[in-house]
Amino acid sequence: MKNYKHSYTELAKIGNRYYGDTNFCSVLAIAVVADISYGKAFHAYKREGRRVRTGTHLYTQNQVLKGFNLKTEIDWDKMQIYQRKTLNNVLRDCKRWTGRYLVYVRGHVLAVRDGVCEDWTAEGSRRQVVTIYKVS
């Protein structure tokens, strides 16, 4: 399977233009952490029952990741530091992170791949961090 390293803007453009999709933060985050195309992530979510232009639940996201032989585990070290802090704190410090992470805030998920935040919130957000998962 070919590995893709698309940025958030490229993936969002593909989702809007070719799939007519919105509310796709989890699809983009999975495409980034799994190094797959938007289409593969989109169709994996569709197989799990996601409707176009709707969000997803954590269970569905884990099922999709399992389909790509990836699993998540809570990164307790990062959770002790960032729980109840804003996303701005994570974005400031994530440049030193290695690996792939899913950062959950209420109603949204974003991907961090090797210190680069791939999301529209990369410019800053005052949303409060709920959980941080390491993807392996």
Side-chain angles (χ1 to χ4, degrees):
M1 182 164 70
K2 187 174 178 183
N3 288 341
Y4 293 88
K5 296 249 184 195
H6 293 300
S7 69
Y8 168 79
T9 53
E10 293 168 336
L11 290 170
K13 189 185 302 182
I14 291 168
N16 282 325
R17 184 177 295 165
Y18 300 110
Y19 293 92
D21 202 3
T22 58
N23 298 327
F24 47 60
C25 63
S26 61
V27 179
L28 292 178
I30 298 301
V32 168
V33 298
D35 292 333
I36 57 175
S37 67
Y38 183 90
K40 283 191 193 301
F42 178 83
H43 289 295
Y45 270 105
K46 196 170 184 179
R47 281 191 297 276
E48 292 296 327
R50 177 186 179 263
R51 295 188 329 241
V52 178
R53 297 185 206 96
T54 60
T56 60
H57 296 284
L58 184 59
Y59 174 78
T60 308
Q61 295 167 15
N62 286 331
Q63 291 299 107
V64 169
L65 282 170
K66 192 186 299 182
F68 292 111
N69 295 323
L70 295 170
K71 56 185 174 183
T72 60
E73 56 186 286
I74 294 178
D75 190 332
W76 292 107
D77 295 333
K78 290 188 178 26
M79 281 300 299
Q80 286 179 334
I81 298 168
Y82 298 109
Q83 191 171 27
R84 296 198 196 127
K85 294 201 175 171
T86 64
L87 203 48
N88 284 335
N89 296 23
V90 171
L91 297 174
R92 183 185 61 228
D93 297 340
C94 75
K95 293 169 182 62
R96 292 178 267 145
W97 296 5
T98 57
R100 300 173 290 180
Y101 295 89
L102 293 172
V103 180
Y104 288 87
V105 295
R106 194 173 78 195
H108 189 62
V109 61
L110 61 115
V112 176
R113 178 180 51 204
D114 294 325
V116 178
C117 174
E118 298 290 352
D119 194 57
W120 62 268
T121 60
E123 282 81 45
S125 174
R126 295 177 67 187
R127 289 181 168 188
Q128 198 173 53
V129 174
V130 176
T131 50
I132 300 174
Y133 286 91
K134 179 153 178 66
V135 179
S136 55

PDB file of all heavy atoms in Angstrom, residues 16-53:
ATOM      1  N   ASN A  16     -13.609  18.290   0.262  1.00  0.00           N
ATOM      2  CA  ASN A  16     -14.669  19.205  -0.182  1.00  0.00           C
ATOM      3  C   ASN A  16     -14.972  19.053  -1.660  1.00  0.00           C
ATOM      4  O   ASN A  16     -16.129  18.932  -2.059  1.00  0.00           O
ATOM      5  CB  ASN A  16     -14.276  20.655   0.101  1.00  0.00           C
ATOM      6  CG  ASN A  16     -14.462  21.029   1.541  1.00  0.00           C
ATOM      7  OD1 ASN A  16     -15.378  20.561   2.181  1.00  0.00           O
ATOM      8  ND2 ASN A  16     -13.585  21.870   2.046  1.00  0.00           N
ATOM      9  N   ARG A  17     -13.940  19.053  -2.467  1.00  0.00           N
ATOM     10  CA  ARG A  17     -14.126  19.104  -3.911  1.00  0.00           C
ATOM     11  C   ARG A  17     -14.612  17.781  -4.495  1.00  0.00           C
ATOM     12  O   ARG A  17     -15.558  17.748  -5.285  1.00  0.00           O
ATOM     13  CB  ARG A  17     -12.816  19.513  -4.585  1.00  0.00           C
ATOM     14  CG  ARG A  17     -12.960  19.672  -6.094  1.00  0.00           C
ATOM     15  CD  ARG A  17     -11.687  20.144  -6.734  1.00  0.00           C
ATOM     16  NE  ARG A  17     -11.382  21.492  -6.256  1.00  0.00           N
ATOM     17  CZ  ARG A  17     -10.205  22.068  -6.400  1.00  0.00           C
ATOM     18  NH1 ARG A  17      -9.225  21.430  -6.986  1.00  0.00           N
ATOM     19  NH2 ARG A  17      -9.990  23.278  -5.953  1.00  0.00           N
ATOM     20  N   TYR A  18     -13.975  16.680  -4.133  1.00  0.00           N
ATOM     21  CA  TYR A  18     -14.252  15.411  -4.805  1.00  0.00           C
ATOM     22  C   TYR A  18     -15.247  14.524  -4.066  1.00  0.00           C
ATOM     23  O   TYR A  18     -15.865  13.653  -4.673  1.00  0.00           O
ATOM     24  CB  TYR A  18     -12.950  14.643  -5.035  1.00  0.00           C
ATOM     25  CG  TYR A  18     -11.985  15.415  -5.900  1.00  0.00           C
ATOM     26  CD1 TYR A  18     -10.829  15.950  -5.369  1.00  0.00           C
ATOM     27  CD2 TYR A  18     -12.254  15.636  -7.242  1.00  0.00           C
ATOM     28  CE1 TYR A  18      -9.945  16.676  -6.152  1.00  0.00           C
ATOM     29  CE2 TYR A  18     -11.392  16.365  -8.037  1.00  0.00           C
ATOM     30  CZ  TYR A  18     -10.237  16.879  -7.484  1.00  0.00           C
ATOM     31  OH  TYR A  18      -9.372  17.600  -8.260  1.00  0.00           O
ATOM     32  N   TYR A  19     -15.406  14.718  -2.761  1.00  0.00           N
ATOM     33  CA  TYR A  19     -16.323  13.871  -2.002  1.00  0.00           C
ATOM     34  C   TYR A  19     -17.514  14.645  -1.454  1.00  0.00           C
ATOM     35  O   TYR A  19     -18.413  14.037  -0.868  1.00  0.00           O
ATOM     36  CB  TYR A  19     -15.573  13.182  -0.847  1.00  0.00           C
ATOM     37  CG  TYR A  19     -14.566  12.182  -1.353  1.00  0.00           C
ATOM     38  CD1 TYR A  19     -13.251  12.555  -1.591  1.00  0.00           C
ATOM     39  CD2 TYR A  19     -14.930  10.870  -1.616  1.00  0.00           C
ATOM     40  CE1 TYR A  19     -12.325  11.648  -2.068  1.00  0.00           C
ATOM     41  CE2 TYR A  19     -14.012   9.951  -2.098  1.00  0.00           C
ATOM     42  CZ  TYR A  19     -12.714  10.349  -2.315  1.00  0.00           C
ATOM     43  OH  TYR A  19     -11.809   9.445  -2.792  1.00  0.00           O
ATOM     44  N   GLY A  20     -17.540  15.958  -1.599  1.00  0.00           N
ATOM     45  CA  GLY A  20     -18.657  16.767  -1.118  1.00  0.00           C
ATOM     46  C   GLY A  20     -18.865  16.617   0.379  1.00  0.00           C
ATOM     47  O   GLY A  20     -19.987  16.645   0.865  1.00  0.00           O
ATOM     48  N   ASP A  21     -17.782  16.479   1.104  1.00  0.00           N
ATOM     49  CA  ASP A  21     -17.851  16.165   2.521  1.00  0.00           C
ATOM     50  C   ASP A  21     -17.516  17.391   3.371  1.00  0.00           C
ATOM     51  O   ASP A  21     -16.764  18.264   2.958  1.00  0.00           O
ATOM     52  CB  ASP A  21     -16.853  15.041   2.833  1.00  0.00           C
ATOM     53  CG  ASP A  21     -17.193  14.277   4.089  1.00  0.00           C
ATOM     54  OD1 ASP A  21     -18.236  14.576   4.697  1.00  0.00           O
ATOM     55  OD2 ASP A  21     -16.422  13.374   4.456  1.00  0.00           O
ATOM     56  N   THR A  22     -18.096  17.445   4.554  1.00  0.00           N
ATOM     57  CA  THR A  22     -17.764  18.436   5.569  1.00  0.00           C
ATOM     58  C   THR A  22     -17.775  17.713   6.913  1.00  0.00           C
ATOM     59  O   THR A  22     -18.130  16.536   6.982  1.00  0.00           O
ATOM     60  CB  THR A  22     -18.785  19.593   5.604  1.00  0.00           C
ATOM     61  OG1 THR A  22     -20.078  19.036   5.849  1.00  0.00           O
ATOM     62  CG2 THR A  22     -18.795  20.373   4.312  1.00  0.00           C
ATOM     63  N   ASN A  23     -17.402  18.399   7.976  1.00  0.00           N
ATOM     64  CA  ASN A  23     -17.340  17.781   9.311  1.00  0.00           C
ATOM     65  C   ASN A  23     -16.492  16.512   9.286  1.00  0.00           C
ATOM     66  O   ASN A  23     -16.870  15.478   9.819  1.00  0.00           O
ATOM     67  CB  ASN A  23     -18.738  17.465   9.846  1.00  0.00           C
ATOM     68  CG  ASN A  23     -19.573  18.698  10.018  1.00  0.00           C
ATOM     69  OD1 ASN A  23     -19.052  19.761  10.334  1.00  0.00           O
ATOM     70  ND2 ASN A  23     -20.867  18.569   9.807  1.00  0.00           N
ATOM     71  N   PHE A  24     -15.347  16.602   8.649  1.00  0.00           N
ATOM     72  CA  PHE A  24     -14.522  15.418   8.416  1.00  0.00           C
ATOM     73  C   PHE A  24     -13.202  15.440   9.178  1.00  0.00           C
ATOM     74  O   PHE A  24     -12.211  14.898   8.728  1.00  0.00           O
ATOM     75  CB  PHE A  24     -14.246  15.239   6.928  1.00  0.00           C
ATOM     76  CG  PHE A  24     -13.814  16.483   6.205  1.00  0.00           C
ATOM     77  CD1 PHE A  24     -12.676  17.174   6.562  1.00  0.00           C
ATOM     78  CD2 PHE A  24     -14.563  16.977   5.158  1.00  0.00           C
ATOM     79  CE1 PHE A  24     -12.277  18.314   5.894  1.00  0.00           C
ATOM     80  CE2 PHE A  24     -14.174  18.104   4.466  1.00  0.00           C
ATOM     81  CZ  PHE A  24     -13.022  18.779   4.838  1.00  0.00           C
ATOM     82  N   CYS A  25     -13.187  16.034  10.368  1.00  0.00           N
ATOM     83  CA  CYS A  25     -11.928  16.128  11.113  1.00  0.00           C
ATOM     84  C   CYS A  25     -11.368  14.747  11.438  1.00  0.00           C
ATOM     85  O   CYS A  25     -10.157  14.532  11.368  1.00  0.00           O
ATOM     86  CB  CYS A  25     -12.092  16.957  12.372  1.00  0.00           C
ATOM     87  SG  CYS A  25     -13.234  16.297  13.588  1.00  0.00           S
ATOM     88  N   SER A  26     -12.228  13.787  11.767  1.00  0.00           N
ATOM     89  CA  SER A  26     -11.717  12.456  12.093  1.00  0.00           C
ATOM     90  C   SER A  26     -11.207  11.739  10.850  1.00  0.00           C
ATOM     91  O   SER A  26     -10.214  11.008  10.923  1.00  0.00           O
ATOM     92  CB  SER A  26     -12.788  11.622  12.788  1.00  0.00           C
ATOM     93  OG  SER A  26     -13.903  11.457  11.950  1.00  0.00           O
ATOM     94  N   VAL A  27     -11.838  11.954   9.710  1.00  0.00           N
ATOM     95  CA  VAL A  27     -11.355  11.337   8.463  1.00  0.00           C
ATOM     96  C   VAL A  27      -9.976  11.893   8.129  1.00  0.00           C
ATOM     97  O   VAL A  27      -9.053  11.135   7.791  1.00  0.00           O
ATOM     98  CB  VAL A  27     -12.351  11.592   7.302  1.00  0.00           C
ATOM     99  CG1 VAL A  27     -11.831  10.984   6.011  1.00  0.00           C
ATOM    100  CG2 VAL A  27     -13.715  11.049   7.635  1.00  0.00           C
ATOM    101  N   LEU A  28      -9.809  13.201   8.241  1.00  0.00           N
ATOM    102  CA  LEU A  28      -8.506  13.819   7.970  1.00  0.00           C
ATOM    103  C   LEU A  28      -7.460  13.346   8.963  1.00  0.00           C
ATOM    104  O   LEU A  28      -6.322  13.044   8.583  1.00  0.00           O
ATOM    105  CB  LEU A  28      -8.618  15.336   8.040  1.00  0.00           C
ATOM    106  CG  LEU A  28      -9.428  16.022   6.951  1.00  0.00           C
ATOM    107  CD1 LEU A  28      -9.485  17.513   7.209  1.00  0.00           C
ATOM    108  CD2 LEU A  28      -8.858  15.753   5.606  1.00  0.00           C
ATOM    109  N   ALA A  29      -7.817  13.280  10.238  1.00  0.00           N
ATOM    110  CA  ALA A  29      -6.853  12.866  11.258  1.00  0.00           C
ATOM    111  C   ALA A  29      -6.381  11.436  11.023  1.00  0.00           C
ATOM    112  O   ALA A  29      -5.187  11.140  11.126  1.00  0.00           O
ATOM    113  CB  ALA A  29      -7.467  13.002  12.646  1.00  0.00           C
ATOM    114  N   ILE A  30      -7.297  10.549  10.664  1.00  0.00           N
ATOM    115  CA  ILE A  30      -6.917   9.152  10.397  1.00  0.00           C
ATOM    116  C   ILE A  30      -6.068   9.069   9.141  1.00  0.00           C
ATOM    117  O   ILE A  30      -5.087   8.322   9.089  1.00  0.00           O
ATOM    118  CB  ILE A  30      -8.169   8.258  10.284  1.00  0.00           C
ATOM    119  CG1 ILE A  30      -8.940   8.250  11.593  1.00  0.00           C
ATOM    120  CG2 ILE A  30      -7.793   6.846   9.850  1.00  0.00           C
ATOM    121  CD1 ILE A  30      -8.188   7.774  12.804  1.00  0.00           C
ATOM    122  N   ALA A  31      -6.411   9.842   8.108  1.00  0.00           N
ATOM    123  CA  ALA A  31      -5.598   9.842   6.884  1.00  0.00           C
ATOM    124  C   ALA A  31      -4.176  10.302   7.185  1.00  0.00           C
ATOM    125  O   ALA A  31      -3.212   9.763   6.638  1.00  0.00           O
ATOM    126  CB  ALA A  31      -6.237  10.733   5.825  1.00  0.00           C
ATOM    127  N   VAL A  32      -4.023  11.277   8.071  1.00  0.00           N
ATOM    128  CA  VAL A  32      -2.691  11.792   8.412  1.00  0.00           C
ATOM    129  C   VAL A  32      -1.902  10.781   9.225  1.00  0.00           C
ATOM    130  O   VAL A  32      -0.759  10.468   8.901  1.00  0.00           O
ATOM    131  CB  VAL A  32      -2.804  13.141   9.172  1.00  0.00           C
ATOM    132  CG1 VAL A  32      -1.477  13.534   9.776  1.00  0.00           C
ATOM    133  CG2 VAL A  32      -3.293  14.228   8.234  1.00  0.00           C
ATOM    134  N   VAL A  33      -2.490  10.232  10.294  1.00  0.00           N
ATOM    135  CA  VAL A  33      -1.718   9.333  11.156  1.00  0.00           C
ATOM    136  C   VAL A  33      -1.472   7.974  10.516  1.00  0.00           C
ATOM    137  O   VAL A  33      -0.487   7.306  10.836  1.00  0.00           O
ATOM    138  CB  VAL A  33      -2.355   9.148  12.558  1.00  0.00           C
ATOM    139  CG1 VAL A  33      -2.408  10.458  13.299  1.00  0.00           C
ATOM    140  CG2 VAL A  33      -3.695   8.484  12.487  1.00  0.00           C
ATOM    141  N   ALA A  34      -2.338   7.552   9.604  1.00  0.00           N
ATOM    142  CA  ALA A  34      -2.152   6.259   8.944  1.00  0.00           C
ATOM    143  C   ALA A  34      -1.373   6.388   7.642  1.00  0.00           C
ATOM    144  O   ALA A  34      -1.087   5.367   7.000  1.00  0.00           O
ATOM    145  CB  ALA A  34      -3.508   5.611   8.671  1.00  0.00           C
ATOM    146  N   ASP A  35      -1.047   7.612   7.223  1.00  0.00           N
ATOM    147  CA  ASP A  35      -0.346   7.856   5.954  1.00  0.00           C
ATOM    148  C   ASP A  35      -1.075   7.236   4.771  1.00  0.00           C
ATOM    149  O   ASP A  35      -0.492   6.537   3.949  1.00  0.00           O
ATOM    150  CB  ASP A  35       1.099   7.337   6.016  1.00  0.00           C
ATOM    151  CG  ASP A  35       1.957   8.123   6.968  1.00  0.00           C
ATOM    152  OD1 ASP A  35       1.662   9.307   7.187  1.00  0.00           O
ATOM    153  OD2 ASP A  35       2.921   7.545   7.505  1.00  0.00           O
ATOM    154  N   ILE A  36      -2.382   7.492   4.706  1.00  0.00           N
ATOM    155  CA  ILE A  36      -3.196   6.989   3.608  1.00  0.00           C
ATOM    156  C   ILE A  36      -3.874   8.165   2.918  1.00  0.00           C
ATOM    157  O   ILE A  36      -3.864   9.278   3.414  1.00  0.00           O
ATOM    158  CB  ILE A  36      -4.254   5.976   4.101  1.00  0.00           C
ATOM    159  CG1 ILE A  36      -5.152   6.613   5.164  1.00  0.00           C
ATOM    160  CG2 ILE A  36      -3.591   4.715   4.623  1.00  0.00           C
ATOM    161  CD1 ILE A  36      -6.294   5.733   5.617  1.00  0.00           C
ATOM    162  N   SER A  37      -4.477   7.887   1.776  1.00  0.00           N
ATOM    163  CA  SER A  37      -5.165   8.944   1.041  1.00  0.00           C
ATOM    164  C   SER A  37      -6.510   9.250   1.699  1.00  0.00           C
ATOM    165  O   SER A  37      -7.040   8.452   2.483  1.00  0.00           O
ATOM    166  CB  SER A  37      -5.386   8.513  -0.410  1.00  0.00           C
ATOM    167  OG  SER A  37      -6.313   7.437  -0.455  1.00  0.00           O
ATOM    168  N   TYR A  38      -7.068  10.403   1.340  1.00  0.00           N
ATOM    169  CA  TYR A  38      -8.381  10.775   1.873  1.00  0.00           C
ATOM    170  C   TYR A  38      -9.420   9.745   1.448  1.00  0.00           C
ATOM    171  O   TYR A  38     -10.281   9.371   2.231  1.00  0.00           O
ATOM    172  CB  TYR A  38      -8.785  12.170   1.389  1.00  0.00           C
ATOM    173  CG  TYR A  38     -10.104  12.611   1.971  1.00  0.00           C
ATOM    174  CD1 TYR A  38     -10.140  13.297   3.171  1.00  0.00           C
ATOM    175  CD2 TYR A  38     -11.311  12.311   1.349  1.00  0.00           C
ATOM    176  CE1 TYR A  38     -11.343  13.684   3.737  1.00  0.00           C
ATOM    177  CE2 TYR A  38     -12.516  12.685   1.910  1.00  0.00           C
ATOM    178  CZ  TYR A  38     -12.522  13.369   3.096  1.00  0.00           C
ATOM    179  OH  TYR A  38     -13.712  13.733   3.657  1.00  0.00           O
ATOM    180  N   GLY A  39      -9.343   9.294   0.215  1.00  0.00           N
ATOM    181  CA  GLY A  39     -10.320   8.334  -0.303  1.00  0.00           C
ATOM    182  C   GLY A  39     -10.342   7.034   0.480  1.00  0.00           C
ATOM    183  O   GLY A  39     -11.406   6.491   0.783  1.00  0.00           O
ATOM    184  N   LYS A  40      -9.176   6.515   0.824  1.00  0.00           N
ATOM    185  CA  LYS A  40      -9.120   5.277   1.606  1.00  0.00           C
ATOM    186  C   LYS A  40      -9.731   5.480   2.988  1.00  0.00           C
ATOM    187  O   LYS A  40     -10.476   4.627   3.477  1.00  0.00           O
ATOM    188  CB  LYS A  40      -7.675   4.799   1.736  1.00  0.00           C
ATOM    189  CG  LYS A  40      -7.129   4.137   0.498  1.00  0.00           C
ATOM    190  CD  LYS A  40      -5.817   3.476   0.833  1.00  0.00           C
ATOM    191  CE  LYS A  40      -5.034   3.060  -0.353  1.00  0.00           C
ATOM    192  NZ  LYS A  40      -5.583   2.174  -1.265  1.00  0.00           N
ATOM    193  N   ALA A  41      -9.416   6.592   3.630  1.00  0.00           N
ATOM    194  CA  ALA A  41      -9.988   6.877   4.942  1.00  0.00           C
ATOM    195  C   ALA A  41     -11.499   7.089   4.841  1.00  0.00           C
ATOM    196  O   ALA A  41     -12.267   6.581   5.666  1.00  0.00           O
ATOM    197  CB  ALA A  41      -9.317   8.102   5.560  1.00  0.00           C
ATOM    198  N   PHE A  42     -11.927   7.819   3.830  1.00  0.00           N
ATOM    199  CA  PHE A  42     -13.352   8.098   3.622  1.00  0.00           C
ATOM    200  C   PHE A  42     -14.132   6.801   3.456  1.00  0.00           C
ATOM    201  O   PHE A  42     -15.165   6.597   4.092  1.00  0.00           O
ATOM    202  CB  PHE A  42     -13.519   8.987   2.386  1.00  0.00           C
ATOM    203  CG  PHE A  42     -14.936   9.308   2.034  1.00  0.00           C
ATOM    204  CD1 PHE A  42     -15.602  10.345   2.657  1.00  0.00           C
ATOM    205  CD2 PHE A  42     -15.605   8.573   1.067  1.00  0.00           C
ATOM    206  CE1 PHE A  42     -16.918  10.645   2.332  1.00  0.00           C
ATOM    207  CE2 PHE A  42     -16.912   8.863   0.734  1.00  0.00           C
ATOM    208  CZ  PHE A  42     -17.570   9.904   1.365  1.00  0.00           C
ATOM    209  N   HIS A  43     -13.644   5.894   2.614  1.00  0.00           N
ATOM    210  CA  HIS A  43     -14.360   4.644   2.357  1.00  0.00           C
ATOM    211  C   HIS A  43     -14.285   3.690   3.550  1.00  0.00           C
ATOM    212  O   HIS A  43     -15.231   2.919   3.777  1.00  0.00           O
ATOM    213  CB  HIS A  43     -13.848   3.993   1.083  1.00  0.00           C
ATOM    214  CG  HIS A  43     -14.255   4.756  -0.143  1.00  0.00           C
ATOM    215  ND1 HIS A  43     -15.564   4.906  -0.539  1.00  0.00           N
ATOM    216  CD2 HIS A  43     -13.528   5.444  -1.033  1.00  0.00           C
ATOM    217  CE1 HIS A  43     -15.625   5.643  -1.629  1.00  0.00           C
ATOM    218  NE2 HIS A  43     -14.396   5.998  -1.955  1.00  0.00           N
ATOM    219  N   ALA A  44     -13.208   3.742   4.316  1.00  0.00           N
ATOM    220  CA  ALA A  44     -13.138   2.934   5.534  1.00  0.00           C
ATOM    221  C   ALA A  44     -14.200   3.391   6.534  1.00  0.00           C
ATOM    222  O   ALA A  44     -14.866   2.569   7.170  1.00  0.00           O
ATOM    223  CB  ALA A  44     -11.748   3.032   6.148  1.00  0.00           C
ATOM    224  N   TYR A  45     -14.370   4.697   6.673  1.00  0.00           N
ATOM    225  CA  TYR A  45     -15.419   5.219   7.551  1.00  0.00           C
ATOM    226  C   TYR A  45     -16.804   4.882   7.015  1.00  0.00           C
ATOM    227  O   TYR A  45     -17.717   4.587   7.786  1.00  0.00           O
ATOM    228  CB  TYR A  45     -15.288   6.732   7.714  1.00  0.00           C
ATOM    229  CG  TYR A  45     -14.420   7.146   8.865  1.00  0.00           C
ATOM    230  CD1 TYR A  45     -13.137   7.631   8.647  1.00  0.00           C
ATOM    231  CD2 TYR A  45     -14.874   7.045  10.170  1.00  0.00           C
ATOM    232  CE1 TYR A  45     -12.337   8.006   9.706  1.00  0.00           C
ATOM    233  CE2 TYR A  45     -14.092   7.420  11.228  1.00  0.00           C
ATOM    234  CZ  TYR A  45     -12.816   7.900  10.991  1.00  0.00           C
ATOM    235  OH  TYR A  45     -12.031   8.274  12.048  1.00  0.00           O
ATOM    236  N   LYS A  46     -16.953   4.918   5.705  1.00  0.00           N
ATOM    237  CA  LYS A  46     -18.243   4.602   5.102  1.00  0.00           C
ATOM    238  C   LYS A  46     -18.628   3.152   5.395  1.00  0.00           C
ATOM    239  O   LYS A  46     -19.780   2.848   5.694  1.00  0.00           O
ATOM    240  CB  LYS A  46     -18.178   4.853   3.596  1.00  0.00           C
ATOM    241  CG  LYS A  46     -19.511   4.926   2.916  1.00  0.00           C
ATOM    242  CD  LYS A  46     -19.345   5.403   1.503  1.00  0.00           C
ATOM    243  CE  LYS A  46     -20.692   5.579   0.855  1.00  0.00           C
ATOM    244  NZ  LYS A  46     -20.574   6.056  -0.511  1.00  0.00           N
ATOM    245  N   ARG A  47     -17.634   2.253   5.342  1.00  0.00           N
ATOM    246  CA  ARG A  47     -17.888   0.842   5.680  1.00  0.00           C
ATOM    247  C   ARG A  47     -18.310   0.681   7.141  1.00  0.00           C
ATOM    248  O   ARG A  47     -19.050  -0.236   7.473  1.00  0.00           O
ATOM    249  CB  ARG A  47     -16.648  -0.009   5.411  1.00  0.00           C
ATOM    250  CG  ARG A  47     -16.441  -0.362   3.952  1.00  0.00           C
ATOM    251  CD  ARG A  47     -15.365  -1.404   3.784  1.00  0.00           C
ATOM    252  NE  ARG A  47     -14.056  -0.959   4.228  1.00  0.00           N
ATOM    253  CZ  ARG A  47     -13.195  -0.253   3.510  1.00  0.00           C
ATOM    254  NH1 ARG A  47     -13.515   0.100   2.280  1.00  0.00           N
ATOM    255  NH2 ARG A  47     -12.035   0.104   4.002  1.00  0.00           N
ATOM    256  N   GLU A  48     -17.830   1.565   7.998  1.00  0.00           N
ATOM    257  CA  GLU A  48     -18.183   1.507   9.423  1.00  0.00           C
ATOM    258  C   GLU A  48     -19.492   2.236   9.724  1.00  0.00           C
ATOM    259  O   GLU A  48     -19.912   2.305  10.870  1.00  0.00           O
ATOM    260  CB  GLU A  48     -17.059   2.106  10.276  1.00  0.00           C
ATOM    261  CG  GLU A  48     -15.799   1.290  10.276  1.00  0.00           C
ATOM    262  CD  GLU A  48     -15.985  -0.091  10.894  1.00  0.00           C
ATOM    263  OE1 GLU A  48     -16.804  -0.240  11.826  1.00  0.00           O
ATOM    264  OE2 GLU A  48     -15.310  -1.018  10.425  1.00  0.00           O
ATOM    265  N   GLY A  49     -20.116   2.830   8.706  1.00  0.00           N
ATOM    266  CA  GLY A  49     -21.435   3.420   8.884  1.00  0.00           C
ATOM    267  C   GLY A  49     -21.471   4.938   8.974  1.00  0.00           C
ATOM    268  O   GLY A  49     -22.526   5.505   9.271  1.00  0.00           O
ATOM    269  N   ARG A  50     -20.355   5.615   8.701  1.00  0.00           N
ATOM    270  CA  ARG A  50     -20.362   7.076   8.749  1.00  0.00           C
ATOM    271  C   ARG A  50     -21.123   7.627   7.556  1.00  0.00           C
ATOM    272  O   ARG A  50     -20.902   7.225   6.421  1.00  0.00           O
ATOM    273  CB  ARG A  50     -18.947   7.634   8.736  1.00  0.00           C
ATOM    274  CG  ARG A  50     -18.920   9.157   8.723  1.00  0.00           C
ATOM    275  CD  ARG A  50     -17.502   9.694   8.572  1.00  0.00           C
ATOM    276  NE  ARG A  50     -17.496  11.137   8.543  1.00  0.00           N
ATOM    277  CZ  ARG A  50     -17.464  11.858   7.415  1.00  0.00           C
ATOM    278  NH1 ARG A  50     -17.421  11.268   6.254  1.00  0.00           N
ATOM    279  NH2 ARG A  50     -17.470  13.178   7.473  1.00  0.00           N
ATOM    280  N   ARG A  51     -22.025   8.566   7.820  1.00  0.00           N
ATOM    281  CA  ARG A  51     -22.725   9.257   6.746  1.00  0.00           C
ATOM    282  C   ARG A  51     -21.913  10.483   6.349  1.00  0.00           C
ATOM    283  O   ARG A  51     -21.206  11.067   7.168  1.00  0.00           O
ATOM    284  CB  ARG A  51     -24.113   9.677   7.202  1.00  0.00           C
ATOM    285  CG  ARG A  51     -24.999   8.483   7.505  1.00  0.00           C
ATOM    286  CD  ARG A  51     -26.430   8.893   7.781  1.00  0.00           C
ATOM    287  NE  ARG A  51     -26.561  10.197   8.385  1.00  0.00           N
ATOM    288  CZ  ARG A  51     -27.099  10.424   9.554  1.00  0.00           C
ATOM    289  NH1 ARG A  51     -27.546   9.439  10.284  1.00  0.00           N
ATOM    290  NH2 ARG A  51     -27.198  11.655  10.032  1.00  0.00           N
ATOM    291  N   VAL A  52     -22.035  10.878   5.097  1.00  0.00           N
ATOM    292  CA  VAL A  52     -21.320  12.054   4.598  1.00  0.00           C
ATOM    293  C   VAL A  52     -21.807  13.289   5.340  1.00  0.00           C
ATOM    294  O   VAL A  52     -22.989  13.417   5.645  1.00  0.00           O
ATOM    295  CB  VAL A  52     -21.536  12.209   3.074  1.00  0.00           C
ATOM    296  CG1 VAL A  52     -20.844  13.448   2.547  1.00  0.00           C
ATOM    297  CG2 VAL A  52     -21.033  10.977   2.351  1.00  0.00           C
ATOM    298  N   ARG A  53     -20.869  14.197   5.659  1.00  0.00           N
ATOM    299  CA  ARG A  53     -21.124  15.460   6.351  1.00  0.00           C
ATOM    300  C   ARG A  53     -21.538  15.292   7.806  1.00  0.00           C
ATOM    301  O   ARG A  53     -22.237  16.132   8.361  1.00  0.00           O
ATOM    302  CB  ARG A  53     -22.171  16.302   5.604  1.00  0.00           C
ATOM    303  CG  ARG A  53     -21.735  16.731   4.236  1.00  0.00           C
ATOM    304  CD  ARG A  53     -22.769  17.656   3.605  1.00  0.00           C
ATOM    305  NE  ARG A  53     -22.677  17.579   2.176  1.00  0.00           N
ATOM    306  CZ  ARG A  53     -23.429  16.803   1.413  1.00  0.00           C
ATOM    307  NH1 ARG A  53     -24.350  16.050   1.948  1.00  0.00           N
ATOM    308  NH2 ARG A  53     -23.255  16.785   0.118  1.00  0.00           N
TER     309      ARG A  53
END
